[in-house]
Amino acid sequence: MQLQQIMKRIVFLDYVRVFACFLVMLVHASENFYGAPGSTDMAGPQSLLATEADRLWVSVYDGFSRMSVPLFMIVSAFLLVPMKEGQTAMEFYKRRAWRILPAFLFFMVVYSTVPMLWDQIDRETSVRDLSRIALNFPTLAGHLWFMYPLISLYLFIPVISPWLTKATAREERFFISLFLISTLMPYLNRFFGEVWGQCFWNEFHLLWYFSGYLGYLVLAHYIRVHLDWSRSKRLYAGAALTAVGAVWTILSFYLQAVPGELHDTPVLEIGWSFCTINCVMLTTGAFLLFTCIRKSETPRIVADLSNMSYGMYLMHILWLGMWVRVFKDSLGLPTVAAIPAIAACTFVSCYVATKFLSLIPACRWMAGLPRTRREMPVMEKA
């Protein structure tokens, strides 16, 4: 008799996706309050905070939201690692490519052309961006940097899956320990210069191969397979890690961001790098808190937002600038209110636009959705 595979949603992951998607927009709303003159809707290489209020609320909103990208990485790893038994690498690559690349390439073209309609870019910039699509993201689509490490993780999943299938909890903890040490590198470089083999002719330091987003991938697998903590232990540990990580991340910016002074953005954002120890603490703590959700079914609106989150992420910069002009420039709201208002209105606008595209069969792919209305892949085998 043929066995039927019953699929069900992993409820808490829907909440994580929606939360992370909103936080991405909160990050980019905040960046409009410390970008130096001449920057776009995202912070440029130099930063300038106008007031003490900007310093405080950018630190709080943007700092807390730095878990957004790692949360997306953990969700992907939680669902996809290790590969399904019997699935080949090429089958995995084909499935992932059809899932993310059409919409990604479509929005690369959109960001290279559509902003000419409101004179945000000129024809020369548009032509240059279009000619470089195979090399990098367009001028006004800095948020698409995320797609490159995500694709890199997808490429590596067939390589690491056999090891994760056989690895013991202790072996994975050893990998994660080296990853955590590697997350100290930004601080070590800041205060001690080049370390562990780094020099002008070699960036591949001692822990290079244990660093970066691969650490989040292994961490996600460890949490899913080996972490057998009770709900209360996850709750308390998650709350503690989130609190310490948030305070560290917020203060790392606040203590440096002197209003009225021009800052180098990479220096100012040293604690906001997604692979620093404080961001790992913040992300891990938040994820553990979400695992405590015990709902048997995802509420319809949360499931729908989760399904639309990829398309919302891709398009959100197109909407963000409009709401910045409304709440910051026209209404002049105080920073404490303007940043969440910009993020919330951008979030709603993106959902409505993505939902509209999802209702048109020929346009679903533009929103990063499957060609049919089958269940989205926030699932597990029952």
Side-chain angles (χ1 to χ4, degrees), residues 35-220:
S39 61
T40 63
D41 293 325
M42 299 176 68
Q46 291 189 309
S47 298
L48 180 67
L49 290 113
T51 66
E52 185 61 38
D54 288 353
R55 177 193 189 189
L56 173 61
W57 294 111
V58 166
S59 299
V60 171
Y61 289 132
D62 204 336
F64 179 78
S65 301
R66 289 289 155 164
M67 69 176 90
S68 54
V69 166
L71 282 175
F72 275 125
M73 295 293 190
I74 286 182
V75 168
S76 292
F78 200 91
L79 291 167
L80 299 174
V81 179
M83 292 193 313
K84 296 177 182 178
E85 187 176 352
Q87 186 179 37
T88 67
M90 296 314 297
E91 289 171 344
F92 177 83
Y93 292 151
K94 182 178 179 180
R95 185 176 181 85
R96 289 295 92 203
W98 278 112
R99 175 70 180 88
I100 66 170
L101 291 184
F104 174 44
L105 295 173
F106 170 72
F107 275 97
M108 293 269 275
V109 174
V110 168
Y111 284 107
S112 298
T113 55
V114 172
M116 284 194 296
L117 297 177
W118 50 84
D119 297 323
Q120 198 171 10
I121 59 173
D122 55 26
R123 185 175 180 276
E124 182 181 353
T125 301
S126 175
V127 171
R128 184 179 67 250
D129 285 349
L130 287 170
S131 69
R132 288 177 50 83
I133 279 180
L135 300 175
N136 215 339
F137 52 80
T139 302
L140 296 182
H143 67 298
L144 295 183
W145 73 267
F146 164 77
M147 295 303 299
Y148 298 90
L150 179 66
I151 292 170
S152 178
L153 278 187
Y154 286 167
L155 291 172
F156 202 73
I157 283 175
V159 178
I160 200 171
S161 286
W163 177 71
L164 287 173
T165 301
K166 299 177 181 180
T168 65
R170 184 178 181 181
E171 289 169 340
E172 288 191 37
R173 283 197 298 270
F174 177 70
F175 186 105
I176 293 169
S177 297
L178 295 179
F179 163 63
L180 293 177
I181 296 172
S182 79
T183 63
L184 297 172
M185 290 295 293
Y187 298 110
L188 293 175
N189 291 152
R190 173 77 173 270
F191 297 109
F192 301 103
E194 296 169 333
V195 298
W196 299 340
Q198 290 175 316
C199 51
F200 76 86
W201 68 83
N202 175 54
E203 71 272 31
F204 302 101
H205 56 77
L206 174 68
L207 296 178
W208 178 274
Y209 300 104
F210 295 89
S211 62
Y213 298 104
L214 182 60
Y216 284 112
L217 185 151
V218 178
L219 179 62

Side-chain angles (χ1 to χ4, degrees), residues 298-329:
T298 306
R300 172 178 275 183
I301 183 61
V302 176
D304 207 35
L305 284 165
S306 175
N307 291 344
M308 304 294 164
S309 60
Y310 180 47
M312 292 168 65
Y313 152 75
L314 289 172
M315 72 170 62
H316 78 274
I317 295 297
L318 294 172
W319 292 98
L320 186 79
M322 180 184 76
W323 293 114
V324 169
R325 289 189 289 275
V326 170
F327 292 110
K328 181 185 179 186
D329 301 334

